[in-house]
Amino acid sequence: MLSDALSGCRELAAYARLIDGDARAWITALRIFGHCPSLTLAVSSPRRMMGSLSSLAVDSGQICHIVARQAFRLSGIKSDRTGLLMVRSGRIRIDAGGCLQARAGDLVVLGPALKMVMTAPATADAMIVQWPADQALVPAAGLYRTAWAEPLLAGYLSRSRFFRDHCDAIEVTEHFLQRLQRALQDPARAPVPAPPAPEDERVRRAVRFLHSHPRWRFDLPTLASVAAASERNLYYLMKAQTGMTPYRFYQRCRLIRLRQSLLRCHCDNPSIAWHAMDEGFSHLGRFASLYREHFGELPSDTLVWRARLRNQCEVLTAGSVQRLTAA
């Protein structure tokens, strides 16, 4: 699959909020973007890397993609929004007036303002979907096992690797959330997974090359040679299979790397200009416009909520992150 060629590229990478953070940063990000300010976290090794979080909000709701790299236990009051946990890998146990054991492919509907304990005995990968506070799902809270959920989610996340820009991300996400809600309200309307479209090895080679050569500067003849295709064929093949021309895809890879660089930077006041120049963006005004076009915010906005995350992490109470003695 084309996504295999991007195995090192995170799903929802354009909306990463935390990359390979420690336990304090991870729980802080989950509190902010999960709208659950009372959550506490216990982990097997507080000093080790905990995981990552991406988040995208649209009119129909909000999606958070969380990855945990070690065993954990979350405790506290859930937000006032109806939520849906979609487990992608690992096992997650939820205690909220009853015990639910969710595994890969399962859906768990969580009511608003629910007191809960969520435990994962090892690494876990999950999506959290939240609808607006004034909007409730028809299904009762509980565990659901369906044949359509995992293909629908996998299709969305695979598509997220090839968002053309922020407008495209909003449109695709709105469509995904609406299909998901219709399926939950009426299982008879659940989408039938479509067979994957045939993919071209030449596009895979081009995508793999663009992702794995961050210092390379765009040259279509060279890329066509790597892909073993003519320049014209590669142009149309990539446009058909990724929704982007070769240059547009190259440009987006650079912007995502730059965003990740800003997130990973440990200095207090990262220089946007330095990071932009390092990725080859010499016209800073044009760069800022491109950044907003692709991510829905200016690079300075990214640094504002990055600073908010760091500041809240610093004031996190001692009891909010503990050592997990038994998962």
Side-chain angles (χ1 to χ4, degrees):
M1 296 177 62
L2 283 181
S3 56
D4 295 334
L6 279 176
S7 58
C9 181
R10 299 170 191 275
E11 295 157 331
L12 280 179
Y15 299 97
R17 306 299 179 177
L18 178 71
I19 299 174
D20 299 336
D22 61 16
R24 287 203 313 164
W26 194 76
I27 184 59
T28 303
L30 197 54
R31 284 176 165 187
I32 294 172
F33 297 104
H35 307 282
C36 299
S38 72
L39 287 181
T40 60
L41 174 69
V43 292
S44 52
S45 181
R47 293 177 179 266
R48 277 178 47 209
M49 184 265 285
M50 179 62 204
S52 306
L53 182 147
S54 300
S55 178
L56 172 59
V58 297
D59 290 342
S60 297
Q62 178 179 351
I63 290 182
C64 284
H65 180 202
I66 61 170
V67 177
R69 297 301 186 195
Q70 57 173 309
F72 70 86
R73 182 175 64 242
L74 279 170
S75 307
I77 305 294
K78 188 188 161 297
S79 75
D80 60 356
R81 306 179 180 202
T82 299
L84 179 68
L85 178 74
M86 310 176 74
V87 182
R88 301 199 64 224
S89 67
R91 291 183 296 114
I92 297 178
R93 169 177 169 156
I94 300 171
D95 293 287
C99 177
L100 300 174
Q101 295 278 2
R103 59 176 188 262
D106 288 348
L107 307 179
V108 181
V109 177
L110 300 170
L114 191 70
K115 186 175 182 180
M116 66 176 187
V117 177
M118 184 182 299
T119 309
T123 60
D125 182 327
M127 296 286 291
I128 299 172
V129 178
Q130 292 183 315
W131 280 269
D134 59 352
Q135 186 174 342
L137 288 175
V138 172
L143 176 66
Y144 294 83
R145 292 196 166 111
T146 69
W148 54 262
E150 178 56 28
L152 180 63
L153 177 60
Y156 170 74
L157 289 175
S158 179
R159 178 68 173 80
S160 79
R161 299 176 188 270
F162 301 102
F163 287 154
R164 294 188 298 274
D165 52 31
H166 184 61
C167 289
D168 184 45
I170 295 295
E171 181 179 346
V172 172
T173 303
E174 288 277 10
H175 182 60
F176 166 70
L177 289 177
Q178 290 163 10
R179 293 180 73 197
L180 176 61
Q181 189 161 26
R182 284 197 300 269
L184 287 166
Q185 292 171 340
D186 183 1
R189 301 173 64 190
V192 177
E199 296 173 349
D200 196 289
E201 178 61 31
R202 292 167 291 184
V203 178
R204 277 198 292 267
R205 283 194 288 262
V207 167
R208 189 179 299 114
F209 179 84
L210 289 170
H211 179 64
S212 60
H213 291 77
R215 295 300 173 185
W216 182 73
R217 292 297 175 244
F218 187 82
D219 178 70
L220 186 56
T222 300
L223 187 62
S225 176
V226 168
S230 70
E231 295 175 33
R232 181 182 178 85
N233 278 349
L234 182 62
Y235 181 94
Y236 287 110
L237 283 168
M238 284 197 67
K239 189 76 183 324
Q241 295 196 12
T242 71
M244 289 174 274
T245 65
Y247 182 76
R248 180 73 168 184
F249 185 79
Y250 159 78
Q251 185 181 65
R252 185 164 174 84
C253 286
R254 292 163 62 207
L255 286 165
I256 289 177
R257 281 196 302 268
L258 190 153
R259 179 184 177 88
Q260 293 175 340
S261 180
L262 288 175
L263 291 174
R264 292 180 187 274
C265 183
H266 293 293
C267 60
D268 292 333
N269 296 298
S271 168
I272 294 172
W274 185 90
H275 286 274
M277 295 290 287
D278 189 53
E279 277 295 339
F281 294 100
S282 56
H283 193 300
L284 297 183
R286 174 60 180 153
F287 154 70
S289 176
L290 274 173
Y291 192 98
R292 180 164 54 184
E293 178 185 343
H294 281 262
F295 307 130
E297 63 187 25
L298 291 169
S300 56
D301 297 326
T302 301
L303 293 185
V304 166
W305 59 251
R306 174 186 176 273
R308 179 188 172 197
L309 179 64
R310 289 168 65 114
N311 291 339
Q312 291 197 22
C313 189
E314 289 175 0
V315 300
L316 196 66
T317 59
S320 296
V321 179
Q322 303 168 354
R323 181 174 293 280
L324 184 64
T325 54

